[in-house]
Amino acid sequence: MFRSEYADVPPVELPIHEAVLGHAARFGEQPALIDGTDGTTLTYAQLDRFHRRIAAGLADAGVRKGDVLALHSPNTIAFPTAFYAATRAGASVTTVHPLATPEEFAKQLRDSGARWIVTISPLLGTARRAAELSGGIREIFVCDSASGHRSLIDMLASTAPEPRPGIDPAEDVAALPYSSGTTGIPKGVMLTHRQIATNLAQLEPAVPATPGDRILAVLPFFHIYGLTALMNAPLRKGATVVVLPRFELETFLAAVQNHRITGLYVAPPIVLALAKHPAVADYDLSSLKYVISAAAPLDAHLARACAERLGLPPIGQAYGMTELSPGSHVVPLARLHDAPAGTVGRLIAGTEMRIVSLDDPGKDLGTGEAGEILIRGPQVMRGYLGRPDATTAMIDTDGWLHTGDVGHVDADGWLYVVDRVKELIKYKGFQVAPAELEALLLTHPGIADAAVIGSYNDDGNEIPHAFVVRRAEAAEELTENEIMLYVAERVAPYKRVRRITFIDTVPRAASGKILRRELRDLREHP
Ligand SMILES: CC(C)(COP(=O)(O)OP(=O)(O)OC[C@H]1O[C@@H](n2cnc3c(N)ncnc32)[C@H](O)[C@@H]1OP(=O)(O)O)[C@@H](O)C(=O)NCCC(=O)NCCSC(=O)/C=C/c1ccc(O)cc1
């Protein structure tokens, strides 16, 4: 067993809004959030007052402890206010991809039992349709304004009393993001207030934030990576978060330059752009002190090229997953220079790890031997909502979370992730569940059978790759393009099938299970 070298941190027994904004008043007139597109600024005093008033407004509208509220928005400076207002009112927040189709959104609403939606006016059409499909929504609020909908801005004038829902941080779910786990379709990951808040405390010794930090939030707040690294962690320490709604390279570079950004938390496609794109040379990025990459594997050569071009210390990686609230490993900021290339970091405080044999899961491996990574600590999720079997498959009776990732540890305690036993595909750091695409492909009348795995494109990004068996009648007419379009019309953009191979039969075990390893061989040797 491998243990963290950091001293244990006590569990943070606070609701997440208290753990993050408990000291907001102390930071008073300091900027908490800046809109990176138009400069609109929220101070800590405003963030504190606004989220309390909106909590009162939400409670007045009927939001109660235990309700699930769906937050459906790209990054804006209103997003954190809405999140903390909802948790202060006692709700669990299920975050929704802003590019989800109405059907995908409705599935999440039904599965989570959501009663409320908070969205932005440009996304109202999708939200309304999803609410109709799901049936259980009492009201849709907007962050900005739209006729016929109550606005969070109007709630700032609420005179209702601040709600006191009596949150139990150890039991009550603060966030309910969706993740596929090691197999199958997206599931609601129950993260309690204590789990998310304690993970912040566990990360702090390795990646400390201070009031002078200026963090750029371009990765989405609706994923636990953004929610933790770009929202909760910096706001807990009085840092300033500059918010961008999407990744557009020139806007991103201009924001780093104009707001004198000191720290970046990114995913590999952004490292690629920083390393290779000519526009990078046109901006003054000298305020940057570090770049951390997570969410997907980062190529070591690419990482070096990026750091050298920007004159930065080596890019540090972090490792974790939604089910870990989300962190278990990071390259400590103080050790960026001596971390070996390709490592995803060291165990953070209060975290234990085992590496177990893939052939014999009962057997623990030592340093230098690759096996499945198991993690135990206060950040391990409570479970998947309404899916005890999936939960038991992921967390064993001794509390070890089976990550589905394969890795090894060197003699100095640095972890390397080298492979994946789970079926999940990661497109630019976004999860794509093969089972979801396979089920969709089978609804096409010309498709007899289908299987989906990850392949790599020329940029080294993993992409969804479908192996399709056409029905005899359709074989000639059904083209790759037609299938890709069929999928694209029905899923969020990141889930699109981006490569197709026609085959005669999908290799399956007697049980019917798809033999993905054979498809991978077929991919390598067509
Ligand atoms: C900023 C990225 C890296 C790149 O952006 P992009 O290149 O513009 O692409 P998008 O992903 O935004 O958009 C996907 C596609 O949708 C398209 N799109 C775009 N907006 C539109 C539109 N409004 N209409 C229609 N099409 C559109 C867009 O064009 C694009 O199409 P394509 O060009 O074909 O790829 C973006 O992919 C991104 O945010 N990725 C990160 C996802 C992420 O945060 N994942 C975290 C999961 S949790 C985790 O792993 C935890 C790790 C962790 C570990 C340890 C820790 O300590 C902490 C954390």
Side-chain angles (χ1 to χ4, degrees):
M1 191 197 299
F2 301 90
R3 286 204 168 80
S4 172
E5 70 214 303
Y6 292 101
D8 260 6
V9 292
V12 179
E13 304 284 358
L14 292 171
I16 189 63
H17 43 274
E18 288 295 341
V20 174
L21 297 178
H23 301 294
R26 202 210 292 160
F27 302 121
E29 295 313 305
Q30 293 232 73
L33 294 152
I34 300 177
D35 183 321
T37 58
D38 68 9
T40 308
T41 300
L42 275 187
T43 65
Y44 272 92
Q46 286 172 318
L47 176 60
D48 191 36
R49 191 166 75 247
F50 290 1
H51 95 278
R52 289 171 189 276
R53 275 302 88 212
I54 295 169
L58 290 173
D60 198 35
V63 176
R64 292 289 173 269
K65 185 180 157 183
D67 284 1
V68 173
L69 178 148
L71 182 49
H72 176 232
S73 169
N75 287 6
T76 67
I77 58 170
F79 188 113
T81 321
F83 181 88
Y84 302 124
T87 60
R88 187 174 282 282
S92 307
V93 178
T94 191
T95 45
V96 186
H97 197 301
L99 297 181
T101 65
E103 290 73 22
E104 290 169 332
F105 189 177
K107 237 185 246 172
Q108 187 173 337
L109 291 174
R110 273 195 300 268
D111 190 77
S112 62
R115 288 157 66 85
W116 313 93
I117 295 175
V118 173
T119 189
I120 58 170
S121 58
L123 298 180
L124 252 178
T126 307
R128 282 203 192 115
R129 183 81 192 104
E132 274 166 32
L133 289 170
S134 85
I137 296 299
R138 282 186 54 184
E139 188 168 346
I140 303 176
F141 308 106
V142 290
C143 291
D144 47 352
S145 64
S147 71
H149 292 270
R150 277 195 266 197
S151 151
L152 299 197
I153 297 171
D154 298 339
M155 289 182 187
L156 294 177
S158 169
T159 53
E162 198 174 297
R164 310 217 174 272
I167 292 165
D168 177 353
E171 286 299 320
D172 295 335
V173 173
L176 190 62
Y178 272 65
S179 163
S180 304
T182 53
T183 60
I185 50 154
K187 299 174 270 293
V189 179
M190 295 188 287
L191 301 178
T192 65
H193 291 268
R194 179 164 82 182
Q195 284 158 357
I196 301 178
T198 303
N199 199 229
L200 296 174
Q202 293 177 285
L203 283 159
E204 267 162 25
V207 278
T210 65
D213 291 343
R214 298 170 76 86
I215 301 298
L216 187 57
V218 71
L219 291 196
F221 290 143
F222 57 81
H223 268 350
I224 193 72
Y225 178 16
L227 194 81
T228 288
L230 303 174
M231 188 176 112
N232 288 333
L235 293 176
R236 176 173 152 93
K237 291 291 165 185
T240 297
V241 180
V242 177
V243 181
L244 290 176
R246 71 185 63 85
F247 178 59
E248 195 278 304
L249 185 65
E250 302 248 358
T251 315
F252 171 87
L253 296 169
V256 173
Q257 169 182 284
N258 299 338
H259 293 282
R260 306 295 298 156
I261 296 298
T262 56
L264 287 179
Y265 289 84
V266 299
I270 298 183
V271 178
L272 177 73
L274 289 173
K276 302 234 161 120
H277 201 285
V280 172
D282 301 338
Y283 293 84
D284 172 8
L285 309 180
S286 60
S287 55
L288 284 176
K289 294 187 191 139
Y290 61 88
V291 178
I292 304 272
S293 175
L298 177 67
D299 180 80
H301 297 286
L302 183 65
R304 183 163 345 108
C306 176
E308 278 172 8
R309 184 178 194 192
L310 301 185
L312 282 173
I315 313 292
Q317 291 194 69
Y319 174 74
M321 55 180 56
T322 308
E323 290 82 350
L324 286 171
S325 308
S328 68
H329 289 72
V330 67
V331 175
L333 293 182
R335 306 211 41 192
L336 290 173
H337 281 288
D338 72 317
T343 178
V344 299
R346 312 179 71 73
L347 279 167
I348 61 170
T351 308
E352 299 170 315
M353 173 173 61
R354 289 165 58 200
I355 305 281
V356 299
S357 162
L358 296 178
D359 306 318
D360 173 9
K363 188 177 166 220
D364 278 88
L365 303 178
T367 54
E369 298 177 294
E372 185 178 6
I373 302 166
L374 274 45
I375 301 287
R376 189 164 68 179
Q379 72 269 52
V380 172
M381 68 166 173
R382 226 182 82 180
Y384 294 117
L385 179 68
R387 289 184 162 86
D389 293 349
T391 304
T392 322
M394 191 82 173
I395 308 172
D396 66 27
T397 46
D398 294 322
W400 291 98
L401 181 122
H402 295 238
T403 64
D405 287 320
V406 180
H408 58 86
V409 183
D410 72 14
D412 296 324
W414 298 102
L415 176 69
Y416 304 79
V417 177
V418 292
D419 200 0
R420 210 180 282 158
V421 281
K422 58 193 171 196
E423 293 166 5
L424 188 72
I425 300 165
K426 278 224 157 176
Y427 177 73
K428 295 185 177 178
F430 287 119
Q431 288 191 347
V432 183
E436 206 181 331
L437 290 176
E438 286 156 4
L440 174 58
L441 286 164
L442 289 178
T443 65
H444 190 290
I447 295 180
D449 202 359
V452 178
I453 61 168
S455 285
Y456 290 86
N457 67 9
D458 294 342
D459 288 336
N461 281 318
E462 194 178 13
I463 53 170
H465 179 174
F467 289 77
V468 173
V469 181
R470 288 176 286 193
R471 286 194 191 286
E473 319 82 82
E476 290 308 307
E477 304 92 88
L478 187 55
T479 63
E480 296 170 21
N481 268 342
E482 196 177 326
I483 298 172
M484 289 204 244
L485 201 65
Y486 181 80
V487 174
E489 282 168 350
R490 289 167 177 79
V491 298
Y494 66 93
K495 290 187 202 164
R496 287 177 187 167
V497 168
R498 289 167 197 270
R499 189 174 294 165
I500 291 186
T501 302
F502 291 117
I503 51 174
D504 295 332
T505 49
V506 170
R508 288 178 188 275
S511 62
K513 199 170 168 320
I514 294 169
L515 296 170
R516 291 175 199 280
R517 196 173 304 162
E518 292 195 15
L519 290 173
R520 268 175 237 135
D521 290 342
L522 203 60
R523 180 189 70 194
E524 306 306 330
H525 312 286

